[in-house]
């Protein structure tokens, strides 16, 4: 059976690093409050010349280099983003053009913070369906552009950045020992859409809008939703939390990550945490964390890696990958 095997990961962060202390001069907040409530210590903020397309391109190039491939080897680009360069065309085609790729196909996916989990699952289906041989799956965001910088309850939480992985269709045995994507579970429930949304859009206000969130409501639902999809993935694969080598969750809030890991019975030392360094980079957070796990020598070939995310919509999902 065909499996979508992860060949490499790459990342790109804006030049400007903003520590919590710097925000103390902009809004009424404190490093202590942000760290205690979220675990975030710093985030990167894009300059005007750094966009979702440029960060995504750089992450894709890093992933290509790490795999020893060029764009000629790729036939699909899936970009997860909620902060596209333009309403249309898809930012994925801009990245395709920047990479100098004149064949194949590219498109954007929008599932907010779950975007990368949706995108890697989508690319897996194209590869297993035989429509593509190798894909770059990118999560790239410039959330700083859609923040209300006067709303201290949201602006301290998010950051900009991009991460990417390369997937390749390879023959597997059809067992849990195969490398590649082994199981996935996706969910959404639009009845929660007003708990985390952007108050503008082309078809309503004709503006871009800014992020609005009922933080406590999001928090209340997060752990239950995350654990539901993870348990579904465990059941599909016939494994338990003990079989996982690395848990790479969406990096929104350290308290949500800790509570999810605890409820699932995943040991702390198996959890890859980057929220302290990057803040919540929405669709970029999981691939950035994956890249960190690989670059620090923790995630290695053959490891069983569990990805999960939850975000606006609400959307949520989990993917199990043997690296
Ligand atoms: C946003 C979040 C950190 C707020 O933490 P909380 O413990 O729920 O805090 P509350 O919203 O109840 O606010 C507590 C107090 O802190 C204040 N506060 C809010 N933001 C603050 C900030 N940046 N600095 C200092 N104080 C702040 C509030 O005004 C409130 O003050 P009050 O009690 O005088 O009214 C938390 O709800 C959260 O992380 N939710 C999930 C958000 C998330 O992860 N979203 C993305 C999902 S993809």
């Amino acid at each position: 059976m065909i499996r979508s095997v992860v060949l490499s990961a790459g990342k790109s962060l804006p030049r400007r690093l903003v520590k919590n202390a710097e925000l103390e001069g902009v809004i009424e907040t404190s490093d202590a409050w942000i760290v205690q409530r979220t675990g975030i210590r710093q985030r990167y903020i894009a300059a005007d010349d750094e966009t979702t397309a440029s960060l995504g391109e750089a992450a894709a190039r890093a992933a290509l280099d790490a795999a020893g491939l060029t764009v000629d080897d790729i036939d699909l680009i899936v970009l997860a983003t909620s902060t596209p360069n333009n309403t249309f065309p898809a930012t994925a085609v801009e990245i395709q053009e920047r990479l100098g790729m004149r064949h194949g196909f590219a498109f954007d996916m929008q599932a907010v913070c779950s975007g990368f989990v949706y995108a890697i699952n989508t690319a897996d289906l194209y590869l297993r369906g035989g429509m593509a041989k190798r894909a770059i799956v990118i999560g790239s965001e410039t959330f700083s552009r859609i923040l209300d910088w006067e709303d201290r309850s949201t602006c301290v939480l998010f950051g900009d950045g991009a991460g990417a992985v390369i997937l390749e269709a390879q023959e597997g045995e059809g067992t849990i020992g195969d490398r590649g994507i082994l199981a996935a579970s996706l969910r959404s429930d639009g009845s929660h859409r007003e708990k985390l949304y952007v108050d503008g859009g082309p078809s309503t206000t004709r503006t871009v809008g800014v992020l609005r969130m009922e933080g406590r409501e999001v928090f209340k639902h997060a752990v239950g939703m995350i654990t539901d999809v993870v348990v579904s993935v465990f059941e599909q694969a016939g494994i338990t939390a003990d079989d996982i080598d690395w848990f790479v969750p969406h990096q929104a809030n350290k308290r949500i990550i800790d509570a999810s890991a605890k409820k699932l019975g995943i040991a702390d030392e198996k959890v890859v945490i980057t929220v302290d360094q990057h803040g919540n980079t929405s669709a970029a957070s999981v691939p950035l964390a994956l890249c960190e796990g690989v670059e620090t020598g923790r995630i290695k070939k053959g490891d069983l890696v569990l990805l999960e995310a939850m975000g606006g919509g609400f959307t949520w999902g989990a993917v199990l990958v043997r690296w």
Side-chain angles (χ1 to χ4, degrees), residues 63-323:
L64 282 168
D65 287 349
L69 298 174
T70 72
V71 283
D72 295 340
D73 302 308
I74 304 296
D75 36 25
L76 166 63
I77 298 174
V78 186
L79 170 69
T81 191
S82 300
T83 46
N85 274 34
N86 297 86
T87 302
F88 82 79
T91 303
V93 299
E94 187 171 339
I95 293 175
Q96 180 187 25
E97 201 272 328
R98 283 167 168 266
L99 291 171
M101 182 175 155
R102 297 276 182 280
H103 61 276
F105 62 113
F107 61 91
D108 288 1
M109 290 212 71
Q110 215 278 62
V112 203
C113 295
S114 309
F116 184 80
V117 164
Y118 271 59
I120 198 170
N121 182 65
T122 303
D124 175 43
L125 296 175
Y126 277 107
L127 262 54
R128 284 197 286 133
M131 276 185 75
K133 170 82 177 138
R134 286 190 207 89
I136 309 181
V137 185
I138 308 167
S140 183
E141 301 278 18
T142 44
F143 257 55
S144 63
R145 312 276 213 259
I146 55 161
L147 295 175
D148 174 354
W149 284 97
E150 288 175 6
D151 176 9
R152 66 177 183 170
S153 71
T154 54
C155 73
V156 302
L157 304 176
F158 295 89
D160 302 333
V165 299
I166 309 244
L167 295 181
E168 180 178 79
Q170 293 184 6
E171 273 301 325
E173 301 288 321
T175 69
I176 193 74
D178 286 349
R179 289 187 68 209
I181 295 172
L182 301 173
S185 177
L186 301 185
R187 284 293 322 277
S188 67
D189 181 350
S191 68
H192 296 290
R193 69 191 183 282
E194 285 179 3
K195 296 187 176 91
L196 175 50
Y197 70 105
V198 167
D199 65 4
S203 188
T204 50
T205 59
R206 305 175 191 207
T207 62
V208 172
V210 290
L211 184 147
R212 302 287 174 211
M213 179 172 72
E214 294 174 37
R216 274 193 190 178
E217 282 295 310
V218 176
F219 202 108
K220 206 170 79 186
H221 288 89
V223 178
M225 288 177 162
I226 290 163
T227 49
D228 275 356
V229 280
V230 169
V231 167
S232 158
V233 158
F234 283 175
E235 284 171 2
Q236 287 174 48
I239 61 162
T240 69
D242 290 340
D243 298 311
I244 296 297
D245 293 302
W246 297 106
F247 179 42
V248 184
H250 171 48
Q251 308 282 323
N253 183 310
K254 176 87 165 45
R255 289 190 295 155
I256 295 176
I257 295 172
D258 289 346
S260 307
K262 190 167 175 214
K263 194 164 171 197
L264 288 161
I266 298 173
D268 286 350
E269 57 274 18
K270 292 182 177 179
V271 186
V272 177
I273 303 273
T274 51
V275 67
D276 54 335
Q277 302 171 55
H278 302 152
N280 181 350
T281 56
S282 192
S285 95
V286 170
L288 275 169
L290 274 174
C291 202
E292 172 82 10
V294 172
E295 285 177 358
T296 54
R298 282 176 285 175
I299 299 176
K300 294 181 291 298
K301 203 169 167 176
D303 283 352
L304 202 51
V305 183
L306 173 67
L307 319 178
E308 79 50 23
M310 181 265 178
F314 292 147
T315 53
W316 63 109
V319 174
L320 184 71
V321 190
R322 188 172 299 282
W323 205 259

Side-chain angles (χ1 to χ4, degrees), residues 17-71:
L17 172 64
V18 177
K19 292 188 182 280
N20 289 348
E22 199 179 318
L23 296 176
E24 290 176 4
V26 182
I27 41 159
E28 207 182 317
T29 190
S30 67
D31 175 51
W33 190 95
I34 300 170
V35 172
Q36 194 251 329
R37 293 298 219 286
T38 71
I40 298 167
R41 293 182 182 277
Q42 59 178 48
R43 77 285 295 137
Y44 293 81
I45 302 289
D48 288 348
D49 66 336
E50 294 171 312
T51 65
T52 294
S54 75
L55 294 168
E57 175 200 357
R61 286 190 187 280
L64 282 168
D65 287 349
L69 298 174
T70 72
V71 283

